[in-house]
Amino acid sequence: MIRYFLLALFFFAPLCYCDLTIYTYDAMMGKGSLAATLTEHYEAKYKEKIRWVPFGSSGEMVNQLILEGRQTAADVCVGADLSQISKLKKNGLLEPVSKELFRGLETGLVQDAEAFFLPFDFSFLAFVYDSQRTTHPPKSFDALLES
């Protein structure tokens, strides 16, 4: 089963003390990336290795996890959105993480009372418009829907 957490690597690691295989999308990879930084700190602190397995998108990652089922090599997946989490839960591929990981998070960030995931890259949605072409931008989401 996959232990899904997002940037909770250092909280989870003391429970495991093991090498980790992490599935993610390819934008997480590369020199100077979040994956490189996490790997450096995790391996220095816990003397264990991280093997990152990148996919072209989070959708590809989720599809691969579903294909692999309970035989997956992944210990962790990073980057699935709420609808993808739902698919993984329906397929029985997630285990709850310790609710201790939620302590200290803003209440609005806790999106899963069952503790199957922690938010990562969670933010409000922003709309950008061309002020030269749009003279009266909507002032609310409802106004945008009505336009």
Side-chain angles (χ1 to χ4, degrees):
M1 289 210 147
I2 300 165
R3 288 170 225 99
Y4 187 95
F5 65 75
L6 302 171
L7 286 185
L9 201 53
F10 292 96
F11 298 106
F12 172 75
L15 303 175
C16 177
Y17 290 109
C18 56
D19 290 351
L20 293 176
T21 298
I22 303 176
Y23 283 16
T24 190
Y25 51 94
D26 61 3
M28 286 281 293
M29 307 302 296
K31 186 177 181 181
S33 68
L34 183 57
T37 302
L38 286 173
T39 299
E40 178 183 334
H41 290 287
Y42 180 89
E43 291 180 355
K45 184 171 183 173
Y46 298 107
K47 309 299 185 240
E48 303 293 343
K49 299 289 181 195
I50 295 180
R51 182 175 74 99
W52 293 89
V53 180
F55 293 87
S57 69
S58 60
E60 288 179 25
M61 174 187 68
V62 168
N63 289 339
Q64 184 65 35
L65 288 165
I66 291 170
L67 285 171
E68 292 175 0
R70 296 171 78 64
Q71 303 304 313
T72 186
D75 297 302
V76 177
C77 67
V78 175
D81 64 28
L82 291 175
S83 67
Q84 293 166 333
I85 300 253
S86 177
K87 285 181 186 177
L88 293 170
K89 284 168 84 171
K90 278 187 203 175
N91 283 278
L93 295 172
L94 299 179
E95 289 182 12
V97 295
S98 170
K99 289 191 178 185
E100 288 294 309
L101 298 177
F102 294 142
R103 196 169 7 143
L105 284 180
E106 292 180 31
T107 306
L109 291 177
V110 178
Q111 298 292 310
D112 182 30
E114 297 173 302
F116 280 99
F117 75 97
L118 292 175
F120 171 81
D121 196 20
F122 191 83
S123 64
F124 294 102
L125 184 61
F127 292 93
V128 179
Y129 67 93
D130 181 345
S131 61
Q132 302 298 313
R133 295 176 59 189
T134 306
T135 56
H136 301 297
K139 302 282 187 216
S140 67
F141 191 71
D142 287 336
L144 176 65
L145 290 175
E146 292 171 7
S147 63

